Amino acid sequence: MTLEFIYHQLKNISYEDWQGGITDGIESMTNRLKAEDKVRIFVDNSANFGHQTSSVLLMKRLIDGFGFKGGGKSVTMVYPVKDADATLAKLSLLIKGLDPTNPVGVTYNTVPLKFMTVDQLDKDPLEININYGFTGGADSDPPNFPNMYAEALKVNCFLRLQPYLWSTPQQIQFGNAFKNYEPENLNENADFGGFLQLRGWYVPDEYWTPTNEDWEYYTNATNPGVTADLAYHSQLAYALIKFMDTNANANAIRLMPCYGIKENNQLGMPPDQLLPTVISTALGGSYLTPAKTPAVVVSMNNSMDDQEYLQSIIVSKGGKTFSEIGAGFAVDGAKAEVNNLTEQLSSGKRKRNLESDLDKANRQLANYQRLSNNQQQEFESRRLWLTTRNAQIGVNVLSTRNRGFGEPVTVEELDQVLLNIIQPNIAKPTVLFLELGALPPLLFNYFMFRASFPSVFEGANTTNTVLNQGRCYLRMVNRSIKVDANMYPIPWVKSKGMNAARLRSQRSANAVLNALLSSPTVPSKFVPNITLTTNYIRDFYFPDDTVLPKYYKSTYAFYHDPINDKLALGLSILDQVADSLKIPILLVEEK
C-alpha cells in the first residue's frame, strides 16, 4: 500500500472513521513491536534538550504504551560521536539512574537500555540488522545519503519524527534489504505533511509530577547525573515549592517560570532589552490582581554575564538600557565634533572644506539630538509606568551566582525573602526575580505546570509540554525567525472568537520581544507592548466572559488526548508501510 493511498484515505473519511483507522493501525503496530526483541532509537546532539527529550519520551512511550516490554527485549539508544559526552549527560537527566561516565546496567520499566555511538554500533558484530528504528528529533540531511539514519542504525524501517512545529523532514527511511528505496517524506505531502508537523507529542502527567523520591534524587549530588550545581538548584526549587504549599499566606503567590534568556543575543536581542520586560510583565500582572498579589519570576537560566545581568536589573527598576545610554553618547560625540570644528574656525584656520564640515557636523548633531529626545521621551514614559507600579523597591532579586551584591542565595535567604514579600504591610505590587539556573527536565516541567502567571520561554519542546498541561504561555521566538500565528496552535474546537484568541496570544508573545527593542536611533515602545501582555494576563487569570480560557481548554483537550499523539499517528503509518513491505510480525534477522 502506498503512502499516497493512505493520505487519500485520511483526507476523505470522517473524523470518527479516521480515529478508528488510527486506533486499528496502533493496535497492529503494537502487535509488531510485541514480536520484536530489539529496537534502536537515535538521539541527536542538539544544543538544548529538545531532541533528546522527544527521543526519550518516544522510548518510554514505546515501552509503556505500545507493547515493547517483557522478557528478552532491549532498547539501544544511539547517538553521534560528536558531543557524545554532552549527549550522555543530558540523557542522564532524562533517564534516572543513568551514569554518564559508565552507562551500563540501566533499565526502564524492566527493559534493559544500551547506550552507544553510531560508530560503536557499526563496529559491533553482535548488533545485527533488525526491523525498526526511531527518533524524536534528527536534523542532518546529507543530499547523497537519503536513508542515512536507517542504514546507520541497521534497521529495515526508521520512523523519523521531529519535535512539535519542527520544520526538518519527518520520514520513513529504509535500510538493509530495502536501502535502495526512496524515503517516504511525510512533510512533502500537502494534504498530510504540514498536519503532522502541527501535531504534538502526547505527554503523560507523570512527566511533570515529581514524587518525594524524585525530589530526594535530584537534590543529592551523589546520584548519577546529578551535578553539585544541579542539586543546589533543585534544593532551592524544592524550598520555593514547599514554601508555597505550606505557608498560609503564600498560596496567592503568582509563579512565573522563565526559560531562554541567556547570554547576549540568545534570541537575537540583548538581555537588558528582554529580561526587564519579563519582570515588568509579572509586576504589571501583579498590579492588576485584586490584592496586588506578589509574583515570583523563576529563571531556569543563569548564564548571562555580570554586566548584562546587573544592567537588566537596573532597567527593571526604572533605569536605561545600554542602547538608550548609547543614544546619549552619540549626542556627546557629535557635540565634541562641532566644538572641535568651531574652535578651528575661530582660531583663524582656513582648512579646506572646514565650513562645510562644520555644517555637516551641526546637521548630524541636530539629528542625534532629535533621536535622543525621542529616546528620552519613551524612557520617561516607561519610568512613569514602572514608578506607578512600585518597581524601584518592589523588584527584588536573588541569584545562584555571585552577582556583585552578595553570595549565591541559600535556602534560608530564599525563605526569608519569600516571607517578606507576602507580608500585608509591604508596599505592593512586588516581584521576586529568582535567577535559579538549570533544573532536571522533570522538575522543569513541574514548574511549568505550577505556573499561575504565563510561563515565558523559547523552544518547541517546552511548548509541547505546556500544551499538554493546558497552561497559558508566552513563547519567545528568535527574531531571525519569521514569526506567524502558527506558533500558537489552531483552535481544534470551532467556536466564536477562538481564532481571535490564538492571534491575540501570538501578539502578546511578540510584545515580550518588542517592548524594549531599541537601538541608538530607534526608541522602544514599552508602554503599548507591556499593556498587551498585562491585559492578556488579566483576561486569562481573572476572566470576565473572555474567550482566552476557552481557547487554552480546547488546545489542552486536543493535545493531551493520546489518539491525537504525533507518535501514535507515526506508528499507524509505519504499520501500513511495514505491511506493504511484507515485514512479518515474527522477527527475521539478517546476519
Side-chain angles (χ1 to χ4, degrees):
M1 180 182 292
T2 65
L3 281 186
E4 285 77 9
F5 181 66
I6 298 170
Y7 297 142
H8 181 77
Q9 282 187 313
L10 290 171
K11 185 180 178 185
N12 292 283
I13 62 177
S14 69
Y15 181 70
E16 291 76 14
D17 289 342
W18 175 82
Q19 279 195 321
I22 294 298
T23 302
D24 291 344
I26 292 169
E27 182 178 348
S28 178
M29 192 65 215
T30 297
N31 288 331
R32 292 180 185 276
L33 289 170
K34 286 179 179 178
E36 300 294 319
D37 293 329
K38 297 180 179 181
V39 296
R40 296 187 183 121
I41 296 177
F42 178 77
V43 184
D44 210 347
N45 57 354
S46 58
N48 295 315
F49 267 88
H51 287 27
Q52 297 90 353
T53 298
S54 291
S55 293
V56 170
L57 173 63
L58 187 153
M59 177 270 291
K60 292 180 178 180
R61 295 278 290 132
L62 290 182
I63 294 171
D64 292 336
F66 297 107
F68 195 76
K69 58 186 174 184
K73 297 188 183 300
S74 67
V75 177
T76 303
M77 310 293 283
V78 185
Y79 42 90
V81 176
K82 183 181 178 183
D83 298 324
D85 290 345
T87 302
L88 267 176
K90 293 175 185 177
L91 287 174
S92 72
L93 298 179
L94 294 161
I95 304 171
K96 201 163 67 171
L98 168 61
D99 183 349
T101 65
N102 185 31
V104 296
V106 185
T107 63
Y108 176 75
N109 200 358
T110 74
V111 176
L113 306 180
K114 296 178 64 175
F115 300 86
M116 56 177 55
T117 66
V118 174
D119 283 4
Q120 289 169 336
L121 176 70
D122 180 57
K123 295 173 183 176
D124 191 337
L126 298 178
E127 293 293 336
I128 59 176
N129 295 339
I130 62 174
N131 279 329
Y132 301 111
F134 305 87
T135 189
D139 286 340
S140 296
D141 277 300
N144 299 322
F145 202 177
N147 284 311
M148 177 181 77
Y149 297 106
E151 294 190 50
L153 267 64
K154 303 181 187 178
V155 297
N156 289 332
C157 294
F158 180 82
L159 178 61
R160 180 189 183 190
L161 298 175
Q162 304 290 2
Y164 173 64
L165 290 181
W166 217 249
S167 60
T168 44
Q170 305 190 78
Q171 303 172 309
I172 297 175
Q173 293 188 4
F174 304 102
N176 301 336
F178 309 103
K179 64 183 180 182
N180 292 325
Y181 286 37
E182 286 294 315
E184 294 286 3
N185 291 307
L186 307 181
N187 281 10
E188 291 181 0
N189 189 285
D191 296 332
F192 190 74
F195 185 52
L196 186 63
Q197 184 179 345
L198 293 176
R199 278 300 175 94
W201 297 78
Y202 169 73
V203 185
D205 291 8
E206 57 263 30
Y207 283 68
W208 60 76
T209 312
T211 63
N212 289 335
E213 180 185 319
D214 291 323
W215 282 110
E216 291 172 4
Y217 186 91
Y218 289 118
T219 54
N220 187 343
T222 65
N223 286 323
V226 182
T227 64
D229 280 347
L230 200 70
Y232 168 43
H233 300 165
S234 300
Q235 290 160 13
L236 289 168
Y238 180 74
L240 173 57
I241 295 299
K242 182 180 178 182
F243 183 91
M244 293 176 63
D245 288 346
T246 59
N247 190 293
N249 296 321
N251 57 359
I253 285 178
R254 292 286 169 171
L255 181 63
M256 187 181 215
C258 173
Y259 172 74
I261 303 175
K262 307 177 186 177
E263 58 277 0
N264 192 19
N265 287 324
Q266 166 69 17
L267 288 168
M269 57 193 303
D272 73 322
Q273 294 185 20
L274 188 53
L275 176 55
T277 303
V278 176
I279 295 174
S280 298
T281 297
L283 187 72
S286 173
Y287 184 76
L288 292 176
T289 64
K292 294 185 172 57
T293 308
V296 179
V297 179
V298 180
S299 175
M300 276 66 149
N301 304 102
N302 64 354
S303 61
M304 70 177 74
D305 68 32
D306 288 347
Q307 187 179 34
E308 292 170 338
Y309 176 85
L310 293 172
Q311 193 63 34
S312 296
I313 302 307
I314 289 170
V315 176
S316 300
K317 289 175 169 286
K320 290 187 174 182
T321 66
F322 283 130
S323 175
E324 290 166 335
I325 294 170
F329 289 157
V331 171
D332 292 342
K335 283 181 178 178
E337 179 64 10
V338 168
N339 291 338
N340 178 49
L341 293 172
T342 302
E343 184 178 339
Q344 290 185 44
L345 278 173
S346 63
S347 66
K349 292 183 178 180
R350 287 294 178 264
K351 183 180 176 182
R352 185 180 179 185
N353 298 327
L354 196 57
E355 291 85 350
S356 64
D357 287 346
L358 179 58
D359 181 63
K360 181 179 178 181
N362 274 307
R363 291 198 305 272
Q364 184 78 292
L365 174 59
N367 184 52
Y368 281 149
Q369 285 177 325
R370 177 181 59 81
L371 294 171
S372 180
N373 290 339
N374 291 341
Q375 290 272 27
Q376 185 64 25
Q377 184 177 358
E378 290 295 333
F379 166 68
E380 293 294 345
S381 174
R382 179 174 83 245
R383 185 163 63 176
L384 176 61
W385 189 95
L386 291 169
T387 300
T388 304
R389 288 155 183 82
N390 194 42
Q392 182 62 40
I393 60 173
V395 173
N396 304 269
V397 295
L398 293 172
S399 178
T400 52
R401 290 178 55 184
N402 186 335
R403 289 301 195 178
F405 49 77
E407 294 297 316
V409 60
T410 64
V411 168
E412 293 74 20
E413 288 168 336
L414 174 60
D415 279 344
Q416 187 59 55
V417 172
L418 290 170
L419 192 61
N420 288 341
I421 67 172
I422 65 172
Q423 296 306 310
N425 60 334
I426 295 294
K428 303 291 193 302
T430 184
V431 169
L432 168 61
F433 172 65
L434 173 60
E435 188 188 36
L436 182 63
L439 285 176
L442 175 62
L443 305 187
F444 176 99
N445 293 344
Y446 182 59
F447 266 71
M448 295 295 166
F449 178 69
R450 287 293 300 262
S452 45
F453 269 175
S455 48
V456 185
F457 55 81
E458 62 158 337
N461 223 64
T462 305
T463 306
N464 185 86
T465 299
V466 173
L467 287 171
N468 272 268
Q469 297 171 339
R471 292 300 189 256
C472 180
Y473 67 95
L474 295 166
R475 183 189 175 191
M476 304 178 293
V477 180
N478 193 301
R479 297 193 62 82
S480 65
I481 300 173
K482 182 180 178 181
V483 177
D484 58 38
N486 279 338
M487 290 298 175
Y488 275 72
I490 61 174
W492 297 97
V493 176
K494 302 301 180 184
S495 180
K496 183 179 180 181
M498 297 289 271
N499 195 54
R502 173 178 69 114
L503 295 173
R504 182 183 180 189
S505 299
Q506 185 61 51
R507 286 193 295 270
S508 299
N510 290 345
V512 175
L513 293 173
N514 293 334
L516 282 171
L517 180 67
S518 66
S519 70
T521 58
V522 180
S524 65
K525 298 291 182 182
F526 178 82
V527 172
N529 280 291
I530 204 70
T531 300
L532 273 178
T533 60
T534 54
N535 286 350
Y536 186 74
I537 289 174
R538 178 199 63 200
D539 290 344
F540 179 82
Y541 292 100
F542 317 105
D544 181 15
D545 194 28
T546 175
V547 77
L548 277 176
K550 297 177 185 177
Y551 167 71
Y552 277 98
K553 286 179 182 177
S554 78
T555 57
Y556 167 73
F558 184 87
Y559 284 95
H560 201 52
D561 185 343
I563 196 65
N564 298 320
D565 181 19
K566 180 195 290 273
L567 176 58
L569 182 55
L571 290 174
S572 183
I573 298 172
L574 180 61
D575 174 67
Q576 298 277 12
V577 171
D579 185 64
S580 69
L581 295 176
K582 303 189 184 308
I583 295 177
I585 297 293
L586 295 176
L587 178 65
V588 175
E589 297 179 340
E590 285 185 40
K591 297 187 178 180

